[in-house]
Amino acid sequence: MEAKDAATHFAPELHIPKGTFNVDFYIKFGAIEHFRFCNDDGSIHVVELEIAGAIFHLHETMTWFNALEPISAKGVTSVIGLFVPDVDKVMEKAMQAGATEIKPAQDYDYGYRQGMFRDPFGHYWQIQKKI
């Protein structure tokens, strides 16, 4: 029998500014926190979160490999595509948690329903499902 975590899957690492103490947006959005490592001043070094089985990490910006987070980069550093059963419900939950809507949910000719928002740290999320 294979271990639960033996399956291949993505776990994006989203960078946040050094000195970040609060990532409550993600908990309000529905993420479960697995673990958190803090710096001596109490700011977040790394936190592992999960949304319905999709694991991702928030990590303070690391300069040793020129990592950027969206605010200091003054732009989009990546788009996180999250497939869900109900796009509209997840988009609404994101707005209630403090996200900014970029594109409302709608159906596209290529067979997807998608909506996009920006989280408080500037990361873009594309919420989607095949229709």
Side-chain angles (χ1 to χ4, degrees):
M1 179 195 266
E2 281 191 34
K4 177 184 165 190
D5 62 354
T8 301
H9 58 278
F10 284 99
E13 182 174 283
L14 307 179
H15 288 228
I16 56 177
K18 285 184 181 288
T20 296
F21 291 88
N22 182 334
V23 293
D24 289 350
F25 163 79
Y26 300 99
I27 304 304
K28 291 177 186 173
F29 179 49
I32 297 167
E33 183 175 319
H34 287 221
F35 66 78
R36 178 184 297 217
F37 292 107
C38 292
N39 299 309
D40 290 342
D41 66 356
S43 64
I44 295 168
H45 178 70
V46 65
V47 61
E48 181 178 274
L49 300 164
E50 175 186 336
I51 299 173
I55 293 174
F56 65 104
H57 299 92
L58 302 176
H59 200 297
E60 71 179 345
T61 303
M62 296 176 288
T63 56
W64 65 270
F65 69 93
N66 296 323
L68 297 173
E69 44 81 20
I71 294 170
S72 65
K74 297 182 174 136
V76 178
T77 55
S78 66
V79 175
I80 306 304
L82 184 64
F83 282 87
V84 299
D86 188 336
V87 172
D88 298 278
K89 181 179 173 184
V90 173
M91 287 291 293
E92 179 61 30
K93 189 167 189 175
M95 298 312 104
Q96 290 173 353
T100 301
E101 186 177 74
I102 301 301
K103 292 173 73 177
Q106 64 184 51
D107 294 344
Y108 289 92
D109 292 340
Y110 47 83
Y112 280 52
R113 180 163 186 78
Q114 295 174 315
M116 184 177 285
F117 68 82
R118 182 179 63 239
D119 73 25
F121 291 101
H123 300 287
Y124 278 57
W125 292 72
Q126 183 158 268
I127 308 305
Q128 55 199 343
K129 76 177 221 171
K130 291 183 180 182
I131 51 176

